[in-house]
Amino acid sequence: MAIGWNKPDNAAGSTAPAIAIGCFVAFGGILFGYDTGTIGGILATRYWLNLFSTGYKVPDPTTGELQPAITASESAEIVSLLSAGTFFGSLGSAPFADWIGRRYGLILSCFVFTFGVILQTAATAIPLFVAGRFFAGFGVGLLSATIPLYQSETAPKYIRGLIVGCYQWAITIGLFLAAIVDNATNLRGDTGSYRIPIAIQFLWAIILVGGMLLLPETPRFLIKKGQPEKAAKALSRLRRLPVDHPALVEELAEIQANHEYEMTLNKATYLDCFKGNLGKRLATGCLLQALQQLTGVNFIFYYGTAFFTSRGLAAPFITTVITDVVNVVSTIPGLLAVDVFGRRPLLFWGSIGMLVCQFIAAAVGSTLNTDASNKAFVAFICIYIFFFASTWGPLAWVVTGEIFPLKARAKCLSMSTASNWLLNWAIAYATPYLVNAGPGNANLQSKVFYIWGSFCTICAFFVWTMIYETKGLSLEQVDELYAKVPHAWKSPGFVPTVSYQEVQQVGSESRKQSLADLEGAARRKSSVHHGELAEEKV
């Protein structure tokens, strides 16, 4: 068993290149997290409110003096337009990733994102600002589906969970950096109060594009495109082995045989993604990503500063920084545990921990509003963030990055990610109406945590019934898992036995037979072959 960064004794080559490449690609998560996190502070910045307000005013929570503000509908529009852009961007990622490749798809995403940042930086009124939010979101959506795709297709199986999970860690770091920058600039009395936090994002895009120009394309994409020589060279860079090394030749042959087997079953159109075994996997991916949002974590990261201000906390910006620090630090144990304890246990117990904290926070926040109760309220939010960051945060990306076959991986991953962003948009848009006071609003305040806690209860049931344990399996062995194991709760302990190279040799009748039947036929053929060789020797 590999723990942390350790390589199994029987694994050839070096782990270092795959780790370095996977972790660098995860840097794209900083774009995602920073862009997500910076808006919360900007919406609470006094200069920005004075400049962008359309005439709406609210009383200051400490002095009672009327001050310029934005309405609930304007707040919902500004925050949710990013999520709307990411929804369409994630859906658009599959055609780009399957057409120009995973590597160039990431580079293209950065250019789209940069265009959105330019518009936001130049804006002095809401219309141009939200247009920039949409285009930046479109770029983030492209990135959010393509990054785990690239990582999953390049990482060794024994540390795939850790490498893909680093994407979520980078998201948390982006959120933390956004909180730091917002805290440093929110008191400025000029346009730098919002333009500095926004313009910093140019740096993240430049770093990612520069690095991707030097990195290889994924071997699995090159196999999909019928370029085995290029795939061998790419895998050689990733494993630090010569192209004719037996271990590398074996790994590449198994990838190619698995892809050819999958292509004999059916095509890989969007309609095919909803059928049969593949449809089951797509449902798992979409529900997992949707439920990740319904845990309510982005309520804290989108509206946390404004929410803490409305509760009368003395230092709402500092409180937001604290929650972001907890988010960053708590992701680390999840990364180290995912390839040791597996996906199912972490997701299940993470759900339990989150729902307990959510219900306690709701009870404390909705019944008391003293200094002591506010400290307890923030404490349980931080504990909730710990459970999310160490389980559902990284593992939603890990699982969706590894459960789909090569022929449909980009399409299914893009639709799974789109479900994340669809719910992200819905929550971002609906939350001001659910939480805020005023005509037409539900004014739930802290009671909104009862809603998030209820969804965390659903999360626990979902994990038990639909999440397969994929720890330690190659992406090709995950296909075997889904083909042989009918129920998720029977998946722990599964041992792969299929060689797709042997199955490939059985013949052209594979479409009519199950994988187990083909495996049996392959073994019988192999036994006959070995018997004939033995007779020849005699």
Side-chain angles (χ1 to χ4, degrees):
M1 176 183 294
I3 299 178
W5 305 88
N6 295 332
K7 183 182 72 172
D9 294 334
N10 61 349
S14 173
T15 304
I19 291 175
I21 290 171
C23 291
F24 176 81
V25 173
F27 183 86
I30 290 182
L31 277 75
F32 176 171
Y34 187 93
D35 200 44
T36 298
T38 194
I39 192 62
I42 289 173
L43 292 181
T45 298
R46 176 46 47 199
Y47 184 88
W48 186 91
L49 289 169
N50 292 340
L51 181 63
F52 283 77
S53 175
T54 56
Y56 181 70
K57 293 187 177 183
V58 296
D60 184 275
T62 55
T63 66
E65 180 184 350
L66 288 177
Q67 296 205 3
I70 56 174
T71 65
S73 62
E74 290 170 336
S75 175
E77 178 187 17
I78 290 168
V79 175
S80 66
L81 253 292
L82 177 84
S83 302
T86 53
F87 172 75
F88 292 107
S90 58
L91 285 178
S93 67
F96 286 118
D98 279 341
W99 176 41
I100 62 175
R102 286 50 163 148
R103 175 170 164 257
Y104 285 114
L106 287 171
I107 293 172
L108 174 67
S109 306
C110 290
F111 284 108
V112 177
F113 173 78
T114 300
F115 177 67
V117 173
I118 291 171
L119 296 183
Q120 290 179 81
T121 306
T124 56
I126 289 177
L128 184 60
F129 194 80
V130 296
R133 294 277 294 167
F134 178 84
F135 282 105
F138 195 90
V140 169
L142 291 170
L143 284 167
S144 66
T146 311
I147 288 173
L149 176 63
Y150 185 98
Q151 291 175 307
S152 295
E153 291 189 348
T154 55
K157 63 183 180 181
Y158 48 88
I159 53 167
R160 187 177 61 244
L162 186 150
I163 288 177
V164 179
C166 282
Y167 175 49
Q168 175 66 22
W169 192 32
I171 294 172
T172 67
I173 293 172
L175 288 164
F176 171 67
L177 292 175
I180 293 293
V181 175
D182 281 345
N183 187 58
T185 61
N186 78 94
L187 296 179
R188 290 176 63 102
D190 55 25
T191 58
S193 60
Y194 71 93
R195 282 178 170 160
I196 291 174
I198 293 171
I200 284 175
Q201 295 174 104
F202 289 120
L203 177 62
W204 314 143
I206 291 170
I207 292 173
L208 187 58
V209 170
M212 291 310 303
L213 290 173
L214 304 175
L215 299 186
E217 183 54 84
T218 76
R220 287 175 170 88
F221 170 76
L222 295 170
I223 288 292
K224 180 181 172 73
K225 286 297 184 180
Q227 300 173 11
E229 295 82 7
K230 291 183 178 180
K233 291 179 181 178
L235 192 60
S236 174
R237 286 185 64 185
L238 291 167
R239 302 292 184 262
R240 200 173 285 173
L241 290 170
V243 292
D244 58 351
H245 190 281
L248 189 143
V249 172
E250 175 68 19
E251 182 177 357
L252 201 62
E254 190 69 4
I255 293 171
Q256 184 159 1
N258 168 262
H259 178 58
E260 291 175 0
Y261 165 75
E262 287 290 339
M263 292 304 293
T264 65
L265 300 181
N266 51 43
K267 297 178 181 179
T269 65
Y270 276 98
L271 183 60
D272 290 313
C273 293
F274 293 88
K275 297 178 180 178
N277 184 283
L278 188 52
K280 176 182 178 179
R281 299 197 224 182
L282 180 60
T284 300
C286 289
L287 287 171
L288 178 63
Q289 290 282 7
L291 286 170
Q292 188 207 47
Q293 288 299 311
L294 289 170
T295 61
V297 70
N298 277 329
F299 167 68
I300 302 298
F301 297 126
Y302 281 151
Y303 297 107
T305 306
F307 180 72
F308 295 143
T309 301
S310 69
R311 282 192 62 84
L313 269 67
F317 278 91
I318 297 299
T319 304
T320 300
V321 171
I322 291 171
T323 61
D324 284 314
V325 169
V326 173
N327 195 25
V328 173
V329 174
S330 300
T331 304
I332 297 173
L335 298 180
L336 299 177
V338 61
D339 289 313
V340 179
F341 300 108
R343 285 60 164 156
R344 278 174 61 86
L346 291 182
L347 286 170
F348 180 79
W349 291 110
S351 303
I352 300 300
M354 286 191 295
L355 72 88
V356 170
C357 292
Q358 296 274 27
F359 286 133
I360 293 176
V364 171
S366 59
T367 57
L368 300 169
N369 193 8
T370 64
D371 184 57
S373 67
N374 282 338
K375 289 179 180 178
F377 178 76
V378 172
F380 277 103
I381 286 177
C382 289
I383 298 171
Y384 152 71
I385 291 173
F386 165 79
F387 280 109
F388 174 86
S390 59
T391 58
W392 276 77
L395 265 67
W397 301 106
V398 171
V399 172
T400 53
E402 63 191 11
I403 63 174
F404 303 117
L406 176 58
K407 65 179 180 181
R409 187 169 294 137
K411 293 183 179 70
C412 290
L413 188 52
S414 73
M415 287 187 280
S416 298
T417 307
S419 68
N420 180 299
W421 288 115
L422 180 63
L423 269 296
N424 185 297
W425 169 81
I427 291 169
Y429 188 82
T431 294
Y433 299 103
L434 289 172
V435 176
N436 294 353
N441 297 338
N443 193 26
L444 290 178
Q445 299 294 328
S446 299
K447 293 175 184 173
V448 74
F449 287 95
Y450 284 121
I451 296 176
W452 311 138
S454 299
F455 279 114
C456 289
T457 306
I458 296 173
C459 288
F461 177 77
F462 165 77
V463 171
W464 181 258
T465 56
M466 293 197 69
I467 296 297
Y468 279 68
E469 184 52 70
T470 52
K471 175 182 69 118
L473 301 179
S474 70
L475 297 181
E476 290 68 40
Q477 290 167 342
V478 172
D479 291 335
E480 181 186 350
L481 169 68
Y482 272 91
K484 288 184 174 181
V485 180
H487 304 295
W489 55 88
K490 294 182 178 180
S491 63
F494 170 78
V495 177
T497 58
V498 167
S499 166
Y500 284 98
Q501 297 173 69
E502 293 179 356
V503 168
Q504 188 182 32
Q505 298 170 6
V506 171
S508 59
E509 298 298 314
S510 56
R511 183 187 293 270
K512 302 176 182 178
Q513 297 177 276
S514 69
L515 183 59
D517 292 336
L518 290 169
E519 180 184 11
R523 287 182 175 177
R524 287 191 296 272
K525 184 175 181 179
S526 178
S527 298
V528 170
H529 177 67
H530 287 304
E532 291 174 348
L533 289 177
E535 290 177 2
E536 289 177 4
K537 290 181 179 180
V538 173

